[in-house]
């Protein structure tokens, strides 16, 4: 029998995240978007209330929450600001390779410190000339005795430079394809490891996006996740899981777009009556609601499959692609409902559009999601 009800614990998590967002995120979202700064105080407060690094396993001192729990929380936080949500979500992205590819000892060594203070993780796969073609990386890792020596550049890395640990994917042979990849955990402050903030982003400006540079960065061999050649597999397993929170965040943005549109449309009058009385506006609102409900159900299905340990690559791709495009459309229509006011920063809807556009690009472009879906169909 299918049951769509949340457990009491999940309802509590949902309310905790909703209250936290209303109190700590929504009031400052516009300010930090304009300043293009990461609000570190939100990270600290999220740690205090238990909303940071949710997927750290219990044996490593964390809550060990499941993907459905993460999705419920993520929708609420993204409602307040998709950029601030990306800070927290990208830390989960950095944690996930250690969960899926690390030993229990490695999980305790790398992840337990993240539970002891406000700390972030990062995931470094993309490069300046390598985005969707993830196996064609040029960052190298050469084994020198009991140490890996890393050289190269990573691009578009969320939390890059401020994360306590960064999982870096590199190749041991530039002609070896995905079979020559390795996943290495690099600590913050490692000699030769530097970062450059990427400025003037279209949206999600409250999150830190960086270029990472590795110049003869040395890490011990025990920082290697899995075996030689396992890096690409670990990266793909990670993304198959973490596309689900992107979908959840997109639902949160769409929900905000609908709420802002409803609020404005009830107050705005045209031709002597509220614009909610016009079918053109009603249809826009109805389309938003249809998308939100459909997207949430697909997100929860993908999250449930993850939690059950069942194959979920196609469902996660569907959720990520559908929800991000649905949320972009919702934000776009919210601007239309607001008319000229929607085009300026006086109302939050233009920020929603700028922010959610990135959801169609990171963690695999939506074109790549369609490739994944098609491959699963054609197996």
């Amino acid at each position: 029998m299918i049951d769509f009800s949340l457990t009491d614990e999940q309802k509590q998590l949902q309310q905790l995240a909703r209250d936290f967002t209303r109190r700590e995120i929504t009031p400052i979202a516009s300010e930090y978007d304009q300043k293009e700064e990461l609000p570190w105080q939100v990270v600290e407060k999220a740690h205090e209330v238990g909303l940071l690094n949710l997927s750290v396993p219990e044996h490593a001192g964390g809550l060990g929450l499941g993907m459905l729990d993460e999705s419920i929380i993520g929708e609420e936080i993204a409602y307040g600001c998709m950029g601030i949500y990306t800070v927290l979500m990208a830390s989960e992205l950095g944690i996930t390779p250690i969960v899926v590819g690390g030993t229990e000892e490695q999980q305790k060594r790398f992840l337990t410190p993240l539970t002891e203070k406000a700390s972030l993780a990062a995931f470094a796969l993309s490069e300046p000339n390598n985005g969707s073609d993830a196996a064609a990386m040029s960052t190298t890792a050469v084994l020198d005795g009991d140490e890996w020596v890393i050289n190269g550049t990573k691009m578009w890395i969320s939390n890059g430079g401020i994360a306590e640990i960064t999982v870096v994917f590199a190749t041991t042979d530039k002609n070896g394809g995905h079979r020559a990849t390795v996943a290495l955990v690099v600590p913050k402050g490692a000699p030769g490891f530097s970062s450059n903030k990427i400025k003037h982003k279209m949206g999600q400006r409250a999150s830190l996006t960086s270029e990472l540079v590795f110049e003869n960065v040395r890490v011990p061999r025990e920082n290697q996740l899995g075996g030689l050649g396992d890096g690409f597999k670990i990266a793909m397993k990670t993304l198959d899981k973490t596309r689900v929170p992107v979908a959840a965040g997109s639902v949160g943005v769409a929900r905000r777009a609908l709420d802002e549109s409803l609020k404005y449309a009830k107050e705005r009058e045209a031709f002597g009556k509220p614009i909610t009385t016009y079918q053109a506006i009603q249809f826009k609102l109805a389309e938003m609601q249809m998308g939100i409900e459909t997207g949430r159900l697909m997100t929860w299905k993908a999250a449930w499959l993850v939690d059950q340990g069942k194959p979920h690559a196609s469902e996660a791709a569907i959720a990520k692609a559908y929800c991000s495009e649905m949320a972009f459309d919702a934000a776009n229509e919210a601007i239309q409902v607001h008319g000229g006011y929607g085009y300026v920063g006086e109302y939050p809807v233009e920020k929603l559009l700028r922010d959610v556009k990135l959801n169609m690009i990171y963690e695999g472009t939506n074109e790549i999601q369609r490739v994944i879906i098609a491959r699963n169909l054609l197996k």
Side-chain angles (χ1 to χ4, degrees), residues 131-368:
S132 297
D133 188 5
M137 64 185 72
S138 58
T139 298
T140 60
V142 177
L143 200 56
D144 181 21
D146 288 330
E147 291 183 317
W148 284 104
V149 183
I150 308 170
N151 281 282
T153 303
K154 294 293 182 180
M155 197 68 169
W156 318 117
I157 309 306
S158 297
N159 299 340
I162 62 168
E164 293 297 320
I165 53 169
T166 302
V167 180
V168 179
F169 297 87
T171 182
T172 60
D173 178 2
K174 289 188 177 181
N175 297 316
H178 63 82
R179 294 180 180 84
T181 57
V182 64
L184 305 169
V185 182
V186 179
K188 181 181 179 182
F193 176 25
S194 61
S195 65
N196 301 300
K197 178 180 177 179
I198 297 171
K199 300 177 182 178
H200 310 304
K201 295 186 296 181
M202 174 182 174
Q204 299 206 19
R205 296 173 179 171
S207 67
L208 174 66
T209 309
S210 301
E211 173 192 51
L212 304 183
V213 180
F214 302 87
E215 298 175 299
N216 294 317
V217 175
R218 289 178 172 267
V219 295
R221 195 167 187 173
E222 55 263 31
N223 284 26
Q224 175 184 331
L225 303 175
L228 184 62
D230 285 346
F232 184 79
K233 179 173 64 177
I234 291 171
M236 294 304 103
K237 283 185 176 180
T238 295
L239 292 172
D240 280 345
K241 291 183 67 174
T242 57
R243 285 171 180 136
V244 180
V246 176
S250 300
V251 174
V253 172
R255 230 183 73 213
R256 179 70 179 278
L258 175 58
D259 285 354
E260 294 293 340
S261 296
L262 278 167
K263 178 182 175 183
Y264 180 82
K266 288 176 180 178
E267 297 171 352
R268 173 71 170 178
E269 289 193 357
F271 307 103
K273 51 187 177 180
I275 62 173
T276 49
T277 60
Y278 297 108
Q279 195 176 69
I281 299 298
Q282 293 173 3
F283 279 10
K284 292 182 188 301
L285 301 175
E287 287 285 347
M288 291 184 205
Q289 181 69 356
M290 288 162 59
I292 291 165
E293 295 296 331
T294 306
R296 183 185 293 118
L297 287 174
M298 190 65 224
T299 300
W300 285 6
K301 178 183 178 182
W304 179 83
L305 288 170
V306 171
D307 290 341
Q308 297 300 311
K310 297 178 181 293
H312 55 267
S314 182
E315 287 82 2
I318 293 170
K320 193 266 190 189
Y322 176 83
C323 291
S324 60
E325 291 170 12
M326 174 274 295
F328 183 85
D329 290 343
N332 192 37
E333 291 289 28
I335 292 175
Q336 200 70 17
V337 169
H338 283 70
Y341 288 107
Y343 198 68
V344 295
E346 183 179 347
Y347 289 84
V349 288
E350 59 86 28
K351 177 181 178 295
L352 299 180
L353 185 74
R354 290 189 288 105
D355 282 354
V356 83
K357 178 60 186 176
L358 185 56
N359 293 26
M360 301 163 71
I361 298 171
Y362 64 5
E363 298 206 33
T365 64
N366 283 4
E367 289 76 15
I368 290 295

